[in-house]
Amino acid sequence: MKKSYFSCMMGLLAAFFLLITCSPNPFFFRSNYTDTNSLIHQREKLQEEQFLKAHLKNGEVHIFREMWAVDTIQDLVIGKGSSYDFNRKKISEGQISIQIDSVAIFETNSKLEGTEKKRIRALGILAGVDVAIGVFCLTNPKACFGSCPTFYIDAQDNFHYADAEGFSTAISPSMEYSDIDALNPQFINENSFSITMKNEALETHVVNSVNLIAFPLQKDERVHQSPQDEFYLCRNIYSLKKAVGKEGEITGLLQQADRKERFSLADEENLSSREEIFLTFEDVKKPESLGLSLSFRQTLMTTYFIYSAMGYMGDEVGDIFARIETSDSTAEKLKNGIKKELGKIDIYVWNPKKEDWEFQAGFYETGPIAFNRQILPFSSSVTGEEIKVKLVLNKGLWRLDQVELTNIVKKVEPEVLDVCEVKKKGITDAVAKAEILGDERYLISMPGNEYQFIFEVPGAPQEYELFLVSGGYYIEWMRESWIKEKDILKLKQMVDNPSRYLKEEAKSYKEYERSMEQEFWNSKIDTKNFPHYGT
């Protein structure tokens, strides 16, 4: 794999807010820049006059209007426009020439096509797409379908359930990382396995790597991934005997991986409220080597927060993302904020000798589309044939599909398989394969794109525990309806006082909560019929 594992999320909201906290008066710009920035984001301008904003790593901003070109020999963007320094004082007006390597983020309302513009697409926030293509989101802008790359073992199935959801927290280039998703046991008859990657949202996906991990399985064996991306060979499954939540018994919802999920609605007074679920397992053997296996995903609560934050940024979205790209303290900021307030799915085990609950650790994985299946090895010794477990989790944030206990046999090391062929529209794409395998190259996937990745799996026919490893980042396109919701003070509250924000925002979220699910799936792009933007 070409990238080391790095995890962050809901942290991405904290990253949005970095510009607020790192300097005094960070949103104060001189009036000539403010007026120009506001003007190019006006509704009629977004659709009639093309622009390209280049936010440089040194803090400068260059705004090209109507006409610009890419010099692929010298790696330049050339055109006419206005240039501003770090303090947003106008430097010049007229001919501009900038090195693409000096750019942190591009922002544009132009449809970027052609091979020569690939590097702009890889760093570009596309603004004002509601009228052009985002018609599904006009009535409910915070419920638009959004995701990182989605992966399907059978590209024709799973309208509501992708098999994997790649690098879902990497919403800008500096946040790039590799993500692991369990694909569960698959019997492979031949020596090959394929999976299809789709771009089903208004986003640019910049994919660095796609790999497969395949563990051959013997009878009654499973391999599970931990939240720390370690792998454990397991045997024996202890099914759930009883589960009780605030609504009463929920055993039937959590016994099988049947997509009949247990979830709750958010607290109407406070979005950081937590609840408890009590689990009982019986006839447990070898209690000293147990791990809790959980299949889960998120509701649309985090989607709501992300889209709200984008809206609060308004026409300053490019400036904020540029600051994310150029700040050295981003990673530290990601550890705090709303993610910390919402919390993980915390696991406790009952100690009958101490007559107390002992904390083990927590699960956390972002994304409302694909299920995550992970294992949490118990950190303290457990005794007896009856094991009691308590889950403590945010009310309204999590969807739980199945929970089991299993015996951990040993830790195992993964063998990572590279892609052997890439197809687009059923035709072998050698360029896409080279981009996926090249250390410093990226496959850029635009809305409507589909790519099929084919792997050679040695030893088939055989049952394997499969995991998908995908690396890269994606850039959310800025909806016109979001730009109109600009509220910098609200954005500041999200980072400075997330606990207060979650209380004050509860009423607004509850208005969206019941209808978001249907609107979210209705706005998913049909990759077979969508008019592709770019490659």
Side-chain angles (χ1 to χ4, degrees):
M1 286 172 284
K2 296 179 291 183
K3 298 290 179 183
S4 61
Y5 299 128
F6 175 74
S7 105
C8 19
M9 171 63 184
M10 253 333 275
L12 62 85
L13 289 174
F16 287 155
F17 317 143
L18 196 58
L19 186 58
I20 299 174
T21 59
C22 290
S23 62
N25 302 318
F27 288 99
F28 175 78
F29 300 135
R30 295 177 182 271
S31 60
N32 57 2
Y33 174 79
T34 302
D35 294 343
T36 300
N37 193 48
S38 176
L39 184 64
I40 63 177
H41 283 90
Q42 288 179 1
R43 181 185 180 92
E44 62 274 12
K45 299 292 183 181
L46 279 170
Q47 304 307 324
E48 297 175 3
E49 297 182 12
Q50 294 183 346
F51 71 89
L52 175 69
K53 287 178 66 179
H55 298 263
L56 271 56
K57 295 174 183 176
N58 66 3
E60 294 179 2
V61 174
H62 302 269
I63 303 176
F64 299 88
R65 294 183 181 83
E66 296 294 339
M67 298 293 293
W68 61 85
V70 178
D71 183 336
T72 57
I73 304 299
Q74 301 185 69
D75 211 20
L76 300 172
V77 179
I78 302 170
K80 291 185 178 181
S82 306
S83 299
Y84 300 86
D85 66 13
F86 180 84
N87 294 313
R88 302 305 185 261
K89 179 180 179 181
K90 183 178 284 190
I91 302 172
S92 63
E93 183 83 24
Q95 191 69 16
I96 304 172
S97 177
I98 58 172
Q99 287 282 343
I100 294 180
D101 283 343
S102 68
V103 177
I105 284 289
F106 284 107
E107 184 182 355
T108 184
N109 66 340
S110 175
K111 181 178 174 181
L112 297 172
E113 296 182 309
T115 303
E116 75 280 2
K117 293 185 178 178
K118 268 192 172 183
R119 293 199 61 192
I120 295 180
R121 289 206 304 268
L123 296 172
I125 301 171
L126 190 62
V129 297
D130 283 0
V131 173
I133 53 179
V135 294
F136 303 109
C137 307
L138 289 173
T139 58
N140 198 345
K142 292 180 184 176
C144 298
F145 183 86
S147 75
C148 41
T150 44
F151 293 87
Y152 298 85
I153 296 175
D154 184 342
Q156 305 304 316
D157 293 341
N158 304 313
F159 176 73
H160 289 285
Y161 305 95
D163 292 293
E165 188 176 356
F167 48 86
S168 56
T169 73
I171 46 77
S172 68
S174 65
M175 297 173 69
E176 177 183 339
Y177 73 105
S178 289
D179 188 24
I180 303 178
D181 292 278
L183 299 179
N184 297 320
Q186 304 287 335
F187 191 90
I188 300 177
N189 286 307
E190 301 179 356
N191 288 339
S192 68
F193 174 82
S194 69
I195 193 164
T196 299
M197 179 183 77
K198 298 183 181 183
N199 186 336
E200 303 175 284
L202 298 179
E203 300 166 352
T204 301
H205 298 164
V206 187
V207 187
N208 180 262
S209 60
V210 177
N211 299 94
L212 187 70
I213 293 174
F215 292 100
L217 295 175
Q218 302 299 318
K219 185 180 179 180
D220 298 326
E221 288 184 343
R222 290 293 306 269
V223 175
H224 294 294
Q225 163 204 1
S226 76
Q228 290 73 40
D229 294 334
E230 297 174 321
F231 297 91
Y232 294 91
L233 178 66
C234 301
R235 294 195 185 100
N236 304 324
I237 293 175
Y238 306 108
S239 297
L240 181 66
K241 184 67 175 179
K242 187 176 182 180
V244 178
K246 61 180 179 61
E247 67 273 43
E249 186 167 336
I250 53 175
T251 312
L253 293 175
L254 300 180
Q255 282 181 321
Q256 305 293 329
D258 53 9
R259 296 175 176 171
K260 296 178 181 178
E261 304 158 276
R262 187 274 174 187
F263 65 95
S264 62
L265 297 177
D267 189 321
E268 61 185 10
E269 300 294 334
N270 187 353
L271 296 180
S272 64
S273 295
R274 294 170 74 77
E275 60 179 333
E276 298 179 334
I277 296 175
F278 297 91
L279 312 174
T280 302
F281 300 87
E282 295 181 352
D283 301 322
V284 176
K285 313 300 181 186
K286 299 180 181 179
E288 69 279 0
S289 61
L290 289 175
L292 184 77
S293 171
L294 183 66
S295 177
F296 66 99
R297 59 179 178 163
Q298 290 188 329
T299 66
L300 295 176
M301 183 183 287
T302 48
T303 300
Y304 175 88
F305 291 142
I306 294 166
Y307 289 175
S308 293
M310 295 284 286
Y312 297 153
M313 295 178 207
D315 58 12
E316 295 180 30
V317 60
D319 297 284
I320 295 174
F321 271 87
R323 185 57 183 265
I324 293 170
E325 290 303 298
T326 56
S327 172
D328 294 332
S329 59
T330 300
E332 185 62 30
K333 290 288 183 180
L334 293 176
K335 298 177 183 178
N336 301 307
I338 285 185
K339 176 184 176 180
K340 185 176 180 180
E341 286 292 323
L342 295 178
K344 301 179 180 181
I345 303 175
D346 291 330
I347 308 301
Y348 295 79
V349 175
W350 178 253
N351 186 324
K353 292 182 178 180
K354 297 182 179 179
E355 294 187 341
D356 197 10
W357 293 102
E358 294 185 344
F359 176 69
Q360 305 299 300
F363 292 100
Y364 190 94
E365 189 76 18
T366 302
I369 299 172
F371 285 103
N372 307 287
R373 177 174 283 277
Q374 297 181 3
I375 192 169
L376 195 67
F378 287 161
S379 59
S380 57
S381 60
V382 180
T383 60
E385 293 187 353
E386 182 181 83
I387 306 298
K388 294 183 178 181
V389 177
K390 179 175 69 171
L391 312 183
V392 181
L393 63 164
N394 179 278
K395 187 179 179 182
L397 177 60
W398 301 102
R399 290 178 170 269
L400 309 181
D401 187 37
Q402 184 187 34
V403 60
E404 297 176 327
L405 283 183
T406 185
N407 289 125
I408 295 174
V409 178
K410 61 180 178 179
K411 186 185 295 185
V412 289
E413 294 299 322
E415 179 181 355
V416 182
L417 305 178
D418 288 330
V419 168
C420 65
E421 185 179 8
V422 180
K423 290 184 178 182
K424 185 178 182 182
K425 298 180 180 179
I427 301 172
T428 297
D429 191 332
V431 173
K433 177 183 175 182
E435 290 170 336
I436 284 293
L437 295 178
D439 286 339
E440 300 300 326
R441 301 184 68 179
Y442 292 86
L443 172 62
I444 300 175
S445 174
M446 303 297 283
N449 283 167
E450 285 189 19
Y451 290 91
Q452 183 185 18
F453 299 99
I454 301 170
F455 301 87
E456 290 184 0
V457 183
Q462 166 81 46
E463 186 175 42
Y464 295 85
E465 190 84 58
L466 298 181
F467 298 86
L468 184 76
V469 187
S470 57
Y473 65 92
Y474 67 101
I475 297 178
E476 203 61 77
W477 291 8
M478 188 66 175
R479 321 291 201 264
E480 181 184 332
S481 53
W482 291 349
I483 293 174
K484 295 184 292 185
E485 296 182 356
K486 182 178 179 181
D487 190 337
I488 298 303
L489 291 179
K490 197 73 170 179
L491 183 64
K492 181 176 173 60
Q493 185 190 54
M494 291 178 84
V495 64
D496 288 347
N497 196 343
S499 61
R500 179 177 177 181
Y501 173 82
L502 291 173
K503 290 180 181 179
E504 294 184 358
E505 194 64 17
K507 183 178 180 180
S508 296
Y509 176 72
K510 293 295 288 185
E511 294 178 2
Y512 275 84
E513 188 177 34
R514 292 187 181 276
S515 63
M516 279 185 73
E517 190 81 16
Q518 181 177 356
E519 295 294 335
F520 182 79
W521 295 108
N522 285 345
S523 61
K524 184 177 182 180
I525 286 174
D526 178 0
T527 57
K528 299 299 183 184
N529 301 309
F530 187 77
H532 294 195
Y533 267 51
T535 57

